[in-house]
Amino acid sequence: MDKKIPVIIPCCGIDSVYGLMTQEIALKVKEAVNKQAELFGLACLVNGETDAVQTIANTLCIVINGCNKECATNIVDIMGGDIDIEYIIDRLVAGVDTASLGTIVRLSESGERQVCEIASKLIANLKLTEKGAEK
């Protein structure tokens, strides 16, 4: 994988709405930036797959954590990844009632709005990082 193309690594949190949000944000960002980033499954790292570990060792990582446990960040760190951008969803939506965001399987309108806002911020952050790297 080209070192200039970062990988987006969302958490696998299947026990809260925040985990669903990380997945949706990652998909929206990938769709928006197309070939400027790749999606990467955290499970590959958790399982210690050699190709996965080598990929993050040579690539900038965008990590999207669902909660303050920061599992995705911790796993990427342990496996030797270089984290360029890190988001923690429950901090970004602090003050918003969790139940109003949706459930572990479906986002509400409010949850969708939050996902779109966070994805837009991440896309802008990614583009700023790219421009900074070009200088």
Side-chain angles (χ1 to χ4, degrees):
M1 185 174 285
D2 187 345
K3 187 167 176 78
K4 293 180 181 178
I5 299 176
V7 293
I8 303 167
I9 306 169
C11 89
C12 296
I14 60 170
D15 62 344
S16 79
V17 68
Y18 301 130
L20 176 59
M21 291 177 76
T22 66
Q23 303 292 316
E24 293 294 322
I25 291 165
L27 291 170
K28 286 191 182 304
V29 172
K30 172 60 179 149
E31 183 180 313
V33 300
N34 195 10
K35 295 179 181 175
Q36 296 174 338
E38 292 295 326
L39 286 178
F40 199 79
L42 188 60
C44 298
L45 293 174
V46 171
N47 290 329
E49 293 180 18
T50 306
D51 289 346
V53 174
Q54 288 175 347
T55 296
I56 67 159
N58 298 311
T59 308
L60 293 176
C61 301
I62 300 164
V63 178
I64 309 171
N65 292 289
C67 68
N68 63 6
K69 292 178 186 173
E70 300 179 42
C71 297
T73 294
N74 294 330
I75 292 166
V76 170
D77 280 341
I78 289 167
M79 295 300 182
D82 182 13
I83 299 173
D84 188 41
I85 299 171
E86 175 187 20
Y87 278 44
I88 304 168
I89 302 308
D90 71 349
R91 291 183 189 165
L92 294 173
V93 297
V96 177
D97 179 34
T98 305
S100 73
L101 297 171
T103 67
I104 61 173
V105 295
R106 180 166 292 142
L107 296 173
S108 66
E109 285 184 39
S110 174
E112 286 286 343
R113 275 193 307 276
Q114 291 290 329
V115 162
C116 289
E117 287 175 22
I118 295 167
S120 294
K121 289 177 188 176
L122 186 78
I123 292 162
N125 199 349
L126 180 60
K127 289 180 180 178
L128 287 173
T129 300
E130 280 179 14
K131 289 178 183 175
E134 292 174 359
K135 291 181 180 179

